[in-house]
Amino acid sequence: SAMSIDASGRVLTPARPAFHAYGTSSTWTVFSNGSWTKLVLDATPPLNVGSHYDSTTSTFTAPVAGAYHFYAKVYGRVQSGGAASTYWQSRFQKNNNGISGYGAIIMGYQYASGGNDEIGNFLMNISLAANDEITVHAQAAGSSNGEYYPIACEFGGHLIG
């Protein structure tokens, strides 16, 4: 059933859309300088209630209008030999565009040398219409490219209500 209450009073909603995704590649993958690149998180999701996350496109599609919660972890870096003016950033995108009011997480503490691994964690609560799509993107800014390590990246979320 869509909802039940157990003997202890816990409300269970086993049909509520939820997912957790990650990448399979253990090779550093380039994301472009100046261009937002969608992260490939293509493993068969260990959690995919309702099958609304498509691992072939690394995209979550909202099945119904409502409030949703999303989280992401991006394991990335400026490529080795980076320059003092380079950093990398990551963000969620809705329908393949940036989301007004939801900025990017900016990384690049070791930008002058590049090749230093960093982890960016971010999350958001957002109102979506049915069939809106959410993806995770990264971009380098400055004079060098960035790269991410797919097997160490994660993306997930669920319908709040």
Side-chain angles (χ1 to χ4, degrees):
S1 76
M3 183 176 80
S4 63
I5 303 173
D6 71 9
S8 298
R10 291 180 291 244
V11 177
L12 307 174
T13 56
R16 183 181 303 261
F19 75 100
H20 177 81
Y22 61 95
T24 58
S25 174
S26 57
T27 301
W28 286 97
T29 304
V30 172
F31 52 81
S32 299
N33 175 0
S35 176
W36 287 101
T37 301
K38 180 167 55 170
L39 274 60
V40 176
L41 303 174
D42 56 354
T44 299
L47 172 67
N48 197 5
V49 177
S51 299
H52 304 293
Y53 181 79
D54 183 342
S55 60
T56 61
T57 63
S58 303
T59 301
F60 173 80
T61 303
V64 296
Y68 288 81
H69 173 78
F70 295 99
Y71 62 87
K73 177 182 86 173
V74 178
Y75 189 89
R77 65 187 183 189
V78 172
Q79 285 186 312
S80 295
S85 62
T86 301
Y87 61 90
W88 69 275
Q89 56 189 338
S90 189
R91 71 181 185 190
F92 294 110
Q93 290 195 181
K94 181 174 92 173
N95 302 325
N96 219 21
N97 292 297
I99 307 168
S100 180
Y102 297 88
I105 182 169
I106 297 175
M107 303 294 289
Y109 179 72
Q110 300 287 339
Y111 62 85
S113 58
N116 295 293
D117 303 358
E118 298 177 298
I119 298 173
N121 294 292
F122 50 105
L123 49 90
M124 74 173 173
N125 292 327
I126 188 170
S127 180
L128 298 178
N131 298 313
D132 277 348
E133 296 179 342
I134 299 293
T135 49
V136 178
H137 293 248
Q139 173 192 61
S143 59
S144 298
N145 285 329
E147 52 193 2
Y148 71 101
Y149 200 63
I151 201 165
C153 297
E154 301 174 8
F155 171 36
H158 65 273
L159 173 65
I160 297 170

